[in-house]
Amino acid sequence: MSLSTDFVNLPDMPRLTLANLTAPACLIGAPGSLASLDLTIEGGRIAAGRTGERVDMKGAMVFPALVDVHTHLDKSQIWSRAPNPDGTSDSARLAVAADRTARWDATDVRRRMEFALRSAFAHGTRAIRTHLDSFPPQHAISFGVFRELRAAWAGRIELQAVNLCSVDVLGDEAAFGAIADEVAASDGALGCIVMPHPELRPRLVGLLETAAKRGMAVDLHVDETGDPASTNLRDVAECVIETGFDGPVTVGHCCSLSVQEEAEALATLDLVARAGLRVVSLPMCNLYLQGRGTARTPRWRGITLVHEMKARGISVSFASDNTRDPFYAYGDLDMLEVMREATRIGHLDHSGSDWIHAFTTNPARAAGFPTPSFAAGAPADLVICPARSWTELFARPQSDRIVLRAGRPIDRTLPDYAELDDLMAPA
């Protein structure tokens, strides 16, 4: 089935009804897995009432434009000049640190972030939260570029930023204060990489206190490791409970849960639920990094305990994470790819019919973005795929999808990697 030619060539009608669409049932309050849906578009928004000129969509699947709640736009596309020599996390950190120190001026960061945004937009993403490396003095450069891009992309992709720094930086009051100033000026969330540290708990408390005083949300990298002794997720949950911090707290990765003893892992999840933490799983990047060894087949998938979280009412989202950098050599900020791979890696199939929330409503609520919806009055920002069922959707990459913004098809031409060739030359 081909939709693109007929649909894209439609005249710009004042009121148009897309008839015979297929939507995830849970997004429209219907029973089952999928349900038939007609959507009327008027003035760039979904309209109620009388129908307009009807177009038969032949059962094509439709989604609200998607939300990517954990990315690293500032690292995007550096693989060609800073490859990971062995695919491990340690090598990734070293490669990024060296490249950041040598190359990340405002021009370099801006061009690569712009490339990433063009890719995400073409694939159908409407909102992105990005972590920005904030090891001084990089924070001033990257947050300045971020604010410029957020203004330039307003109306196309809503952007939000989180600082990314180490627990060591949290212990430097002046340095962390300057970072928090940049985040506050950018209306962002406060974050850090949570790893074992003798002063971890008091520094986490300090971060939460800073966030509370400034009215900020919190977003943390936690337990991105295959070491079962890494139990920092428990530390985060307990600190949130003990301080009474009532702002949104998001935790990403949480990989070590999957290699801990069952009772210990589930007890931690009970605390996560009590603390109200929101979890973001990054299955593609963690599949790439975790369990890697020389000439050794990996024994686990790197994914966290998403089913056990969902069973406890914990909000679970999936996101892209890194793209073509030392932490993940692949990816293109395509949330349909994330959905397809998360389903395969995490066995989301045969386990309920509402996992679509993990790619739409859950990440939007975690970051405070507008909730994706088919309701009357919602923007007609849609992703339409020729697939008519989940198995058809996940069998192919849906390269011929249609992306609507304000009810009209966008040009889905992806940026050419050659555009960045001059940035990839040796330093």
Side-chain angles (χ1 to χ4, degrees):
M1 177 175 63
S2 176
L3 295 171
S4 301
T5 301
D6 291 342
F7 187 75
V8 171
N9 291 333
L10 281 174
D12 190 2
M13 299 174 183
R15 189 175 180 93
L16 180 70
T17 295
L18 307 182
N20 192 22
L21 290 163
T22 300
C26 63
L27 295 184
I28 58 174
S33 177
L34 296 170
S36 182
L37 176 68
D38 293 353
L39 286 176
T40 297
I41 297 171
E42 183 176 33
R45 294 187 172 272
I46 296 172
R50 65 181 178 84
T51 60
E53 184 74 22
R54 290 175 63 85
V55 178
D56 184 3
M57 301 304 290
K58 306 175 185 176
M61 293 186 74
V62 62
F63 304 94
L66 302 168
V67 178
D68 206 345
V69 77
H70 184 125
T71 68
H72 293 266
L73 301 184
D74 58 341
K75 294 183 176 72
S76 176
Q77 308 301 325
I78 66 172
W79 178 273
S80 297
R81 71 189 192 200
N84 187 326
D86 57 13
T88 64
S89 295
D90 288 343
S91 292
R93 282 190 286 271
L94 292 172
V96 167
D99 191 73
R100 182 176 62 236
T101 300
R103 309 290 287 268
W104 291 21
D105 61 19
T107 299
D108 177 76
V109 172
R110 183 182 299 105
R111 285 183 59 192
R112 292 185 293 97
M113 287 180 68
E114 178 83 24
F115 187 98
L117 291 170
R118 287 164 60 198
S119 301
F121 184 71
H123 290 309
T125 294
R126 66 176 292 177
I128 292 176
R129 174 182 274 185
T130 182
H131 297 260
L132 298 176
D133 279 21
S134 298
F135 298 88
Q138 188 64 48
H139 61 290
I141 297 170
S142 295
F143 272 92
V145 170
F146 168 82
R147 289 190 290 270
E148 293 173 3
L149 288 174
R150 183 179 59 183
W153 278 81
R156 291 179 289 171
I157 295 181
E158 187 170 352
L159 291 171
Q160 196 177 100
V162 185
N163 66 290
L164 187 67
C165 62
S166 67
V167 176
D168 288 330
V169 175
L170 298 185
D172 185 329
E173 185 174 342
F176 187 61
I179 292 169
D181 288 342
E182 289 286 349
V183 178
S186 306
D187 300 315
L190 209 56
C192 78
I193 305 168
V194 181
M195 301 178 72
H197 189 282
E199 295 294 317
L200 175 61
R201 286 209 175 210
R203 293 186 183 184
L204 279 176
V205 169
L207 183 149
L208 293 171
E209 290 174 346
T210 299
K213 289 175 184 176
R214 294 173 177 260
M216 293 177 173
V218 171
D219 191 331
L220 307 168
H221 282 57
V222 182
D223 291 334
E224 189 181 4
T225 175
D227 180 3
S230 184
T231 58
N232 296 143
L233 181 59
R234 176 181 288 269
D235 294 313
V236 172
E238 290 179 344
C239 285
V240 168
I241 293 168
E242 290 165 9
T243 60
F245 182 77
D246 59 0
V249 179
T250 301
V251 288
H253 298 289
C254 309
C255 304
S256 64
L257 281 174
S258 294
V259 290
Q260 292 170 5
E261 291 294 330
E262 185 87 351
E264 179 181 12
L266 297 184
T268 295
L269 290 187
D270 290 339
L271 283 172
V272 169
R274 181 180 164 198
L277 307 186
R278 299 161 167 92
V279 178
V280 184
S281 178
L282 298 311
M284 298 193 305
C285 182
N286 287 135
L287 186 73
Y288 177 82
L289 288 173
Q290 304 304 322
R292 187 181 286 273
T294 303
R296 181 181 184 276
T297 303
R299 302 295 200 269
W300 69 304
R301 294 170 178 234
I303 195 169
T304 192
L305 303 183
V306 294
H307 294 279
E308 293 81 353
M309 292 173 178
K310 185 167 178 280
R312 284 165 171 73
I314 297 168
S315 171
V316 177
S317 302
F318 295 92
S320 290
D321 207 8
N322 300 67
T323 49
R324 296 194 69 246
D325 68 37
F327 285 94
Y328 185 53
Y330 319 113
D332 201 35
L333 293 173
D334 180 357
M335 282 301 293
L336 278 184
E337 180 192 17
V338 176
M339 192 188 305
R340 181 175 66 248
E341 295 308 312
T343 298
R344 295 171 176 175
I345 296 166
H347 289 175
L348 307 187
D349 51 356
H350 306 292
S351 64
S353 58
D354 60 350
W355 277 108
I356 186 62
H357 286 303
F359 308 88
T360 54
T361 52
N362 288 359
R365 289 167 180 162
F369 292 131
T371 303
S373 172
F374 294 130
D381 297 342
L382 307 171
V383 178
I384 303 174
C385 299
R388 299 161 299 175
S389 63
W390 291 115
T391 181
E392 288 185 1
L393 184 81
F394 295 140
R396 293 177 178 170
Q398 307 303 320
S399 300
D400 52 351
R401 75 192 72 165
I402 299 165
V403 175
L404 302 189
R405 301 305 299 270
R408 297 305 303 165
I410 67 166
D411 178 0
R412 291 200 55 246
T413 304
L414 290 164
D416 190 330
Y417 293 123
E419 295 177 22
L420 300 179
D421 280 355
D422 60 308
L423 297 182
M424 299 303 128

